[in-house]
């Protein structure tokens, strides 16, 4: 087995990559990284000094692949399965990347901003930044609400990298800003994501760690 994934099951960007592996049943050796543990963290930073996961090591090609979207693209290119997560068609591919970026930058990152603020030392919080993040989430929900009124998945009928991005982002975002009655299409899309076996599996694997999630 040449693929080794460095990740943590609770971490949302790691779940995004896991969904891609599970969609195609792509085998990999799991390396669970505990960033709270000095030894585990130092070992991981030897592979990727930036210290953010997921990170894929392809030992057959001696390559280190960071960044969830880049990992998904790499799997599609070098270890393709029955389902392509980035369409072969160039027009559909850029649309998929746009939606992937949308979920990463305007749902995932503001969610992270609000959640990680809860982990800051007393007196070091950033209430203004968190308020901006919550406002951005609400704007993004409004856009998703419009977009998902007529679609099953982010790109329409085919599940794609954009849905890998959306699932964990929305899973944690709704704990920061609930969808509410005004975002019924977002809630329905999220329910479909929760029913997708690849994401359901990632959530089940995260469940033992839920107590570590900082609730507001
Ligand atoms: N752009 C990166 C973001 C990765 C990321 O933010 N990962 C989080 C976990 S969900 C992390 O490593 N956090 C630890 C830290 O920032 O120290 C990706 O798409 O993989």
């Amino acid at each position: 087995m040449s693929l080794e994934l460095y990740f943590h099951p609770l971490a949302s960007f790691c779940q995004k990559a896991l969904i891609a592996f599970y969609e195609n049943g792509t085998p990999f050796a799991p390396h669970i990284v505990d960033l709270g543990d000095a030894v585990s963290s130092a070992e991981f930073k030897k592979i990727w000094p930036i210290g953010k996961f997921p990170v894929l090591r392809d030992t057959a090609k001696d390559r280190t692949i960071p960044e969830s979207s880049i990992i998904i693209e790499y799997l599609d290119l070098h270890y393709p399965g029955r389902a392509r997560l980035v369409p072969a068609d160039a027009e559909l591919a850029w649309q998929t990347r746009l939606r992937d970026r949308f979920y990463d930058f305007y749902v995932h990152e503001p969610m992270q901003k609000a959640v990680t603020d809860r982990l800051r030392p007393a007196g070091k919080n950033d209430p203004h930044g968190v308020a901006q993040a919550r406002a951005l989430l609400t704007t993004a929900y409004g856009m998703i609400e419009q977009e998902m009124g007529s679609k099953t998945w982010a790109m329409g009928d085919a599940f794609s990298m954009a849905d890998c991005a959306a699932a964990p982002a929305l899973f944690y975002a709704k704990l920061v800003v609930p969808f509410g009655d005004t975002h019924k299409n977002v809630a329905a899309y999220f329910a479909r994501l929760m029913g997708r076996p690849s994401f359901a599996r990632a959530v089940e694997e995260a469940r033992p760690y839920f107590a570590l999630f900082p609730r507001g």
Side-chain angles (χ1 to χ4, degrees), residues 51-178:
K52 286 185 186 285
F53 46 25
V55 171
L56 181 65
R57 273 284 303 153
D58 184 344
T59 53
K61 300 185 199 301
D62 192 20
R63 278 176 160 176
T64 299
I65 305 103
E67 294 294 319
S68 53
S69 300
I70 305 301
I71 292 171
I72 294 172
E73 297 246 16
Y74 185 84
L75 293 178
D76 249 24
L77 192 61
H78 293 285
Y79 298 90
R82 61 189 180 284
R84 277 200 71 120
L85 293 168
V86 180
D89 179 87
E91 171 65 26
L92 293 176
W94 81 253
Q95 291 183 26
T96 304
R97 293 187 181 105
L98 168 62
R99 289 180 173 88
D100 173 70
R101 298 296 72 217
F102 176 87
Y103 279 103
D104 272 17
F105 291 144
Y106 309 126
V107 179
H108 213 141
E109 290 191 0
M111 172 280 288
Q112 258 188 343
K113 169 71 184 168
V115 171
T116 56
D117 194 76
R118 299 170 184 170
L119 298 169
R120 287 188 174 198
K124 298 288 183 191
N125 295 93
D126 175 15
H128 181 68
V130 171
Q132 284 181 320
R134 293 173 64 90
L136 184 53
L137 269 181
T138 305
T139 301
Y141 285 0
M143 293 173 70
I144 300 165
E145 182 68 14
Q146 293 290 319
E147 176 118 357
M148 294 313 293
S150 55
K151 288 184 189 169
T152 304
W153 305 115
M155 283 297 294
D157 292 337
F159 189 91
S160 73
M161 174 166 75
D163 303 296
C164 299
L170 290 172
F171 183 90
Y172 290 109
K174 75 174 186 331
L175 303 176
V176 174
V177 177

Side-chain angles (χ1 to χ4, degrees), residues 2-76:
S2 79
L3 298 178
E4 302 183 355
L5 186 68
Y6 291 79
F7 73 107
H8 191 283
L10 187 64
S12 45
F13 276 107
C14 298
Q15 292 173 4
K16 173 177 163 185
L18 286 172
I19 294 168
F21 277 97
Y22 297 158
E23 277 293 318
N24 276 316
T26 309
F28 65 94
H31 290 270
I32 294 189
V33 179
D34 179 357
L35 291 177
D37 176 83
V39 175
S40 178
S41 179
E43 283 297 310
F44 174 56
K45 284 179 181 165
K46 282 186 202 158
I47 295 163
W48 183 239
I50 297 293
K52 286 185 186 285
F53 46 25
V55 171
L56 181 65
R57 273 284 303 153
D58 184 344
T59 53
K61 300 185 199 301
D62 192 20
R63 278 176 160 176
T64 299
I65 305 103
E67 294 294 319
S68 53
S69 300
I70 305 301
I71 292 171
I72 294 172
E73 297 246 16
Y74 185 84
L75 293 178
D76 249 24

